[in-house]
Amino acid sequence: MSIEVIGTSPTLANGMTVPLSPAIRAGNLVFVSGQLGLDDNGTLVGPDIEAQTHQVMKRLRAVLQQAGADLDRVVKAGVWLTDKTDFPAFNAIYREYFPQRPPARSTVVSELLIPGARLEIDVIASFD
């Protein structure tokens, strides 16, 4: 099975490069690393769950498109929220991106490493 790195390691606003691959394509699967609500400069797009959720989905789509896929190929998502009261607002926005066939999903509440980050999502997509 061939393994292909998709994208380059991200750099945070403080200039630190994070030692990870945005995605790895292995066979007919693409594993996308956890995405935060960061803009292209590595800065959070805003303090609220709505803005960050939209940004995370935008980032996931961009990485998937680099791999030749899109959100409609996602089969599994892992979601970390920092506040369980954000779940209804997050879920409403998430539903917009997966209206027909939502992927299998795990959602947990956890502290995140980036101060102010309200969520992180990683996904696995399939190419049949």
Side-chain angles (χ1 to χ4, degrees), residues 14-63:
N14 65 6
M16 183 177 92
T17 299
V18 183
L20 60 80
S21 297
I24 297 287
R25 184 172 182 166
N28 70 336
L29 297 174
V30 175
F31 299 85
V32 179
S33 292
Q35 299 295 310
L36 300 166
L38 302 173
D39 63 18
D40 291 339
N41 297 317
T43 303
L44 285 170
V45 294
D48 60 283
I49 190 66
E50 293 85 2
Q52 288 190 29
T53 301
H54 283 295
Q55 183 65 13
V56 166
M57 299 308 294
K58 177 181 172 184
R59 291 176 61 84
L60 287 169
R61 175 173 275 146
V63 174

Side-chain angles (χ1 to χ4, degrees), residues 43-122:
T43 303
L44 285 170
V45 294
D48 60 283
I49 190 66
E50 293 85 2
Q52 288 190 29
T53 301
H54 283 295
Q55 183 65 13
V56 166
M57 299 308 294
K58 177 181 172 184
R59 291 176 61 84
L60 287 169
R61 175 173 275 146
V63 174
L64 286 166
Q65 288 176 341
Q66 282 184 300
D70 208 330
L71 292 172
D72 64 341
R73 304 305 305 167
V74 173
V75 295
K76 175 71 169 88
V79 179
W80 292 263
L81 298 173
T82 60
D83 186 340
K84 67 182 179 182
T85 63
D86 284 340
F87 185 70
F90 155 76
N91 220 30
I93 294 166
Y94 183 88
R95 183 177 285 118
E96 294 174 23
Y97 291 90
F98 298 108
Q100 301 300 319
R101 185 191 47 82
R105 184 178 89 187
S106 301
T107 306
V108 298
V109 173
S110 174
E111 187 174 347
L112 296 174
L113 294 175
I114 303 295
R118 302 192 68 87
L119 79 156
E120 181 171 347
I121 303 175
D122 66 21

